[in-house]
Amino acid sequence: MSDIAQSVADIINENPSTMPGQIATQLGVSEFEVVASLPDDMGTVLPREQLDALMADLPEWGPMTTIVSLAGSIFEFKGSFPKGKPGHGYYNLVTKGEGLHGHLKLDAVAQVALVSKPFMGSDSHSIQMFDASGAIIFKIYLGRDKKRLLLADQVQRFTALKQQIVSAA
């Protein structure tokens, strides 16, 4: 086990809800280094070449929470991740009416990770995108029902994706 992995494990053992960004700040490393060092049941790195297929599949998952953090501010969108199509160097989100709009610079995504970590006492699963320096670009958290329970079909999709990666390794 690497020094970073051991430090990450120690911090998580002390407080399981500590977020990867907080751990990164504490250890003076990138957030991706922390996520890549999480215990196997908490973090799985998705091969970058699978990003296009994942982006095409996400609109079928149903309502989720997309989070963008920038300069200490956090922006959240709750709803289905929109379909997109490549154009002009971006993955253009195609939304009719209200919903998440934007243009993702997928070439800037160097790493993708699937993260399963408790947050505020609840199970949490997310798909996280990182740039070449290991900084987070955006995160997509699985949705919850009115009772704040994770949506079972999304958990199944997420688990199947993790298993596919582990089996291919």
Side-chain angles (χ1 to χ4, degrees):
M1 181 181 281
S2 74
D3 289 345
I4 293 175
Q6 185 60 59
S7 296
V8 168
D10 291 345
I11 292 168
I12 290 171
N13 285 336
E14 186 176 311
N15 181 357
S17 289
T18 306
M19 298 301 294
Q22 295 168 313
I23 297 171
T25 300
Q26 186 175 340
L27 297 178
V29 298
S30 74
E31 192 165 346
F32 178 73
E33 287 177 276
V34 170
V35 167
S37 299
L38 287 170
D40 291 342
D41 63 327
M42 290 187 176
T44 304
V45 176
L46 178 83
R48 174 60 179 81
E49 57 272 8
Q50 292 184 21
L51 180 58
D52 289 342
L54 175 63
M55 296 304 291
D57 192 45
L58 281 176
E60 306 303 319
W61 288 41
M64 297 183 282
T65 301
T66 302
I67 296 178
V68 177
S69 301
L70 182 62
S73 296
I74 299 170
F75 300 91
E76 295 184 14
F77 171 77
K78 292 180 189 272
S80 295
F81 198 85
K83 292 181 180 180
K85 62 181 180 179
H88 306 287
Y90 289 88
Y91 185 77
N92 299 293
L93 302 178
V94 180
T95 306
K96 293 183 174 138
E98 294 183 10
L100 180 64
H101 292 263
H103 311 277
L104 305 176
K105 186 80 169 163
L106 290 186
D107 289 346
V109 177
Q111 303 285 348
V112 180
L114 307 177
V115 178
S116 299
K117 212 169 153 329
F119 180 67
M120 299 183 80
S122 296
D123 286 342
S124 174
H125 302 291
S126 62
I127 300 163
Q128 302 188 7
M129 313 285 175
F130 299 88
D131 68 16
S133 70
I136 193 73
I137 299 173
F138 67 100
K139 303 173 186 181
I140 303 168
Y141 281 83
L142 300 192
R144 295 183 182 278
D145 64 18
K146 291 180 181 181
K147 294 180 180 177
R148 304 281 309 136
L149 298 174
L150 289 168
L151 299 175
D153 60 321
Q154 288 183 8
V155 173
Q156 289 172 346
R157 286 177 181 258
F158 185 87
T159 302
L161 185 57
K162 281 179 74 169
Q163 287 295 30
Q164 174 189 352
I165 295 164
V166 170
S167 296

